[in-house]
Structure formats: C-alpha cells, structure tokens
Amino acid sequence: MSARERADVAAAPSPDPSDGSPCRDHVVVSLPSHSMPARLLERHASHLPALEHRALLDGLVTAHDPSARVVVVASSEPAPDVLDHYARLARPGDPDDARRRVTCLVVPDDGPRGIAAKLLDRPDLLDRLRRQVGATPAVIEPWNVTDDELAVAQALGVPLNGGPAELWPLGFKSASRRLFRECDVAVPVGVEDVRSNDEVAVAVRTILRERPLVERVVVKLDNSGAGEGNLVLLVRDDEGRSLPDDALVAALARLSPPAFLRDLALGGVVEELVTGEVVGSPSAQVEIGRDGEVVVRSTHEQLLGGEDGQVFVGSRFPADAAHASEVATQAAAVARRLAERGAVGWLSVDFVAARGAGGRTLVAVDLNLRKGGTSHSYAALRHLAPGVYETQSGRWLADDGGERHYRSSDDVEVGRGVTAAHVIAALEAAGLAFDPVARTGVVLHMFPSLDDRGTVGATAIGRTAEEAERLFDAASAALRTA
C-alpha cells in the first residue's frame, strides 16, 4: 500500500448526529477487530463473540438518525431476539425500520484472531460487504487499527475513523510513558524498556532510590490491555526490609506464567504501585477528527478486579468531580500531541488518582490508541440519551436539559443456559428496561457471554449517580433470579 493510499484509508470523520447536526445517508461499518497479542486472543478465544457483540450498540445510532445504516462485522450471528431488542430500543415507534437498517455480516471463524484478519481470508464476504455499502458514503468504525484493519479499508475503498497503523506501538507501555512526559503529564516513578527478570530487579532498586517507602511495584508488558499483562510484585520481606535482587528475581519467576516472562523479553515497564487511603482509576475517552480537532467525549471511573486489582470489570460515568476536569485536560494534551503525529479516531488515557495523608496524586498509567472497555457503554448513553459532555463541569447534559449518569459492567451474573430472550423478558418484567421517554433504565449487551460465562453486560442510565446505581443493583438482582 502506498503512503498516499494509507493516508486515504487511515482517517475519516466519524458521523455523529447525536450532536444535533444533520447527516446525509451514510453507512457505518462497525469493525470490532481485537488485534491483541496472541496470548490474550488465545486466552479469550471463547469470549471474542461477546466482545465483538458490544459493537451492536453502535446500531443504536438509528434511534436519532434516520439517515444511518449500520453493518456490524462479527464472528457469530446475533440471535433474532437480540436484534429485535435493540430495534425496539432504538425506534420504539417503528422497530421494523431500525431492524432493516442494522445488519450483521458474520465471518464464521471461531479462531483466536481479530475479525479483520478473518475477514481478509474471505474475499467472498468482503465482496458482500462492499455490495452492502454500495455507493453510499461510509466510514469504518474500528476497535483498533493495525495493518489488518487498514487492509480491510483498502479492499472496501472505505475510510477508517482511526489510525494510522504505524502509530499503534505508541500505545505500548514504555512508549506511552515517554509520551506522557513529553506532554507534561505525570507518571508513576518507574523504568521503561525492561526485558528480563534481572532488569526488573535493577528497576526496583531505581524506584526505591526515589521512593524509599514503596512496598509493591507493577511489572507491565509493553503490549497488553485491560490490565492483563500486569503483575504486582512485593518488594519487601515480612519485616519491611527491601528484598535483595536474587529474592526479587525468584519471586517474579514464581509468580509469572511462562508466557509472561517470554513476552517480557519484548519489552515492559516497572512502576511503583500508587497507594493511598482512597485510590481510584479514572479515564478519559478522546476523539481526534481528521482535521486534528481534539474532543473529550467522556470521563469514567474504572472499576478494577482480578487477583491484584489490575483487570477492568466495569465503570461509572462520569468520573469523580474532584478530578474529572483535570483528567480531561491531561488526556486532551496527550491527544493533541498524537494528532500532530497524524493520529485520528478514538483513544483513551487511564490514570490512578490517590488521596491520603501525603496529599493528592494523579498520574497517567495507560494509553489505548483504540476504543476501550468504556466505549460501548458510552455508545448506549450518547445514542439513547443524546447530549454533550461538558469537560469543565464533568457532566453529561442530555438534550432534554437533565444530567445523565451510568453504572456499567460486562459481567453481571445470570447463570449458564439462560437464553437472551429470557434475560430480556426478565429485565422488562422487573420494570427496569430502558425507557425512551424518560431516557433512563438498563441496556443489556454481550449476550454471547450467557453461554460462555453465564453473564451478560448491563449499563444502567439514571438522572443521578444514585439512581444509576440503584437501577444497576436492581437489574443485577432481577437477572440473578430470572
């Protein structure tokens, strides 16, 4: 692909009529291609259909834009009940219209690869997608942009709202720490470009010279996501003395699966584990337009779980008012620097916010040059309760004049063997389904997780944070007993 061709397909404006501007007929090709490291794809192969089906929430754009058609590319067919459910959400007065304008192109391949790579192996399906788009103006909304997604865009002759692919490594941990410092955005004390157990031990010594009271560090693989690829390492013994290098090396070897140490050879970072009396994980989503304009779309409080509290499990919107504006300002500064390098489309910046006797700390810990774990829940909000995110006040002001907040999770327990139709009916019977008049209620997603994990995703939208939390808790209880 020539440099000019790459530039043509690597960027495009994202049609977003939720801001009230008129749009002509257009097609949005939602391409939830998870071009993640092989270790993550293999680990989550059975869960990929659920992750891909989060993109069905893009179809809710038809709630307020009769000019849009949406084609979601996925490796599994959504159940008719699911598509009907989203159609009723989008157009309660005319669900048949929404149903006609949202379709799914299925690439029947359950292997551990991103959907773009799978689609490239099927020229017949590429041709079908090309015919579905036809001569109508179109844009591809990718989850991320690597060479595979660019190849799909070139084959279709449709621009991407993302890329270019050569910037992808800037989202790796070592590169993002350097980028944050370029933008005067604070980072935890740490060391980049660590590639072995021995280098981890050296990095710990470097951190302890600057932060003598640190008790734990986080070892992060450069190319990782959602907190997977992070390992928390205790650097002191039971009496509070710093561990010698050989003990650190032994502890890392004991705690690390073989794949972790193998991938560490490709690069990683070691950072202090930021602590405090209160510790949060705020993030900001930013979109860079083709003209270089930077718009902060949202801030969130990420909810983390897993053994070491490093894995994304859900979110609250918006971020805490104590730091929402600062989070937005710093993320925008990073996005402007990336825009200067040619970046387009969605990105998110994750932070750690800590408060304690020593004061308040806000440091950037991750850069995602892609959509992330908060993107699909935000899509539900902006399409079903359209409005604008005010970066200074940290509020979502819906076009009915009221605020909106939400609580979201991808892992609401239901139980294996329960059908999507049953879950949808249970939510409606409990009176918790999204109300298009009040523009509050619960939106479900990730239905393939019912078979894979016995869970479903849910985003509870309320006029206050308390209402959103009550709706979420009530929905969780109703679905557990469905």
Side-chain angles (χ1 to χ4, degrees):
M1 188 185 299
S2 71
R4 180 57 180 270
E5 287 173 326
R6 292 172 72 88
D8 287 344
V9 299
S14 175
D16 184 11
S18 65
D19 62 5
S21 59
C23 272
R24 57 177 176 164
D25 288 349
H26 62 279
V27 179
V28 177
V29 178
S30 189
L31 188 67
S33 184
H34 297 80
S35 299
M36 298 184 290
R39 69 178 187 280
L40 293 182
L41 287 169
E42 290 167 2
R43 179 175 177 180
H44 297 289
S46 65
H47 197 49
L48 283 177
L51 296 174
E52 292 167 357
H53 278 207
R54 296 189 301 192
L56 290 170
L57 293 176
D58 288 341
L60 295 176
V61 69
T62 59
H64 50 74
D65 183 14
S67 66
R69 285 193 292 120
V70 179
V71 182
V72 179
V73 185
S75 57
S76 67
E77 183 82 47
D81 292 326
V82 171
L83 292 176
D84 290 343
H85 168 66
Y86 286 131
R88 291 193 303 273
L89 268 177
R91 306 276 288 176
D94 192 0
D96 290 342
D97 175 63
R99 188 71 165 79
R100 284 190 297 269
R101 291 192 284 118
V102 180
T103 57
C104 188
L105 178 75
V106 177
V107 185
D109 182 338
D110 60 3
R113 295 188 299 158
I115 196 67
K118 297 174 182 179
L119 184 58
L120 290 170
D121 286 345
R122 291 293 302 270
D124 57 324
L125 295 180
L126 272 171
D127 189 56
R128 184 188 302 174
L129 182 53
R130 193 179 299 110
R131 292 195 304 271
Q132 285 181 277
V133 172
T136 307
V139 64
I140 296 173
E141 280 287 353
W143 188 79
N144 55 210
V145 178
T146 66
D147 286 338
D148 286 338
E149 291 74 33
L150 280 172
V152 169
Q154 183 190 33
L156 296 176
V158 174
L160 281 161
N161 183 39
E166 52 264 30
L167 296 183
W168 178 245
L170 288 179
F172 292 1
K173 300 300 185 290
S174 293
S176 62
R177 280 178 56 90
R178 288 189 282 267
L179 182 65
F180 292 148
R181 288 197 297 267
E182 284 179 27
C183 300
D184 294 323
V185 172
V187 296
V189 173
V191 178
E192 298 95 41
D193 301 313
V194 173
R195 299 180 185 277
S196 70
N197 291 23
D198 290 338
E199 290 185 10
V200 168
V202 173
V204 169
R205 296 282 159 252
T206 301
I207 293 169
L208 288 174
R209 281 196 293 273
E210 189 167 346
R211 290 280 197 271
L213 300 180
V214 164
E215 296 183 352
R216 289 178 173 82
V217 299
V218 186
V219 184
K220 302 179 178 179
L221 300 177
D222 267 346
N223 187 8
S224 57
E228 298 199 47
N230 293 3
L231 189 149
V232 175
L233 185 65
L234 182 68
V235 300
R236 297 185 182 279
D237 63 20
D238 293 340
E239 311 219 345
R241 297 169 299 198
S242 59
L243 294 173
D245 287 3
D246 58 348
L248 286 170
V249 169
L252 183 62
R254 184 175 66 255
L255 294 171
S256 307
F260 186 94
L261 296 177
R262 183 183 66 241
D263 289 343
L264 182 61
L266 302 175
V269 304
V270 182
E271 295 177 341
E272 63 171 324
L273 182 67
V274 178
T275 60
E277 294 173 9
V278 179
V279 180
S281 180
S283 69
Q285 287 188 102
V286 187
E287 189 173 16
I288 303 172
R290 195 167 192 174
D291 59 357
E293 182 186 12
V294 168
V295 180
V296 177
R297 295 296 186 187
S298 69
T299 62
H300 290 80
E301 290 296 328
Q302 298 183 108
L303 305 177
L304 304 180
E307 186 176 344
D308 293 322
Q310 296 288 304
V311 179
F312 176 86
V313 296
S315 65
R316 291 185 176 93
F317 168 91
D320 191 312
H323 48 239
S325 178
E326 189 176 0
V327 163
T329 298
Q330 294 193 17
V334 174
R336 282 192 291 271
R337 183 60 59 90
L338 288 164
E340 292 170 1
R341 299 187 182 185
V344 172
W346 292 83
L347 63 91
S348 63
V349 181
D350 298 340
F351 297 80
V352 171
R355 190 170 68 250
R360 178 175 164 273
T361 300
L362 182 70
V363 289
V365 294
D366 207 0
L367 168 64
N368 299 304
L369 286 176
R370 54 169 172 78
K371 295 186 177 181
T374 56
S375 300
H376 58 294
S377 50
Y378 169 73
L381 173 74
R382 71 169 181 158
H383 293 323
L384 294 180
V388 64
Y389 180 70
E390 298 180 334
T391 56
Q392 291 305 310
S393 65
R395 301 182 307 159
W396 180 264
L397 189 61
D399 60 13
D400 63 5
E403 290 186 33
R404 293 297 186 279
H405 301 248
Y406 68 71
R407 164 76 160 89
S408 185
S409 172
D410 289 348
D411 295 295
V412 176
E413 292 185 13
V414 178
R416 285 185 172 84
V418 180
T419 66
H422 188 75
V423 171
I424 292 166
L427 188 74
E428 293 173 348
L432 299 168
F434 187 82
D435 180 345
V437 176
R439 296 184 182 179
T440 61
V442 180
V443 181
L444 300 177
H445 39 83
M446 297 184 70
F447 289 100
S449 286
L450 290 169
D451 294 328
D452 178 37
R453 300 183 177 184
T455 62
V456 71
T459 297
I461 301 172
R463 290 183 175 271
T464 64
E466 293 76 17
E467 182 184 18
E469 203 71 31
R470 285 196 303 271
L471 287 167
F472 181 85
D473 290 344
S476 297
L479 297 181
R480 278 197 304 270
T481 58

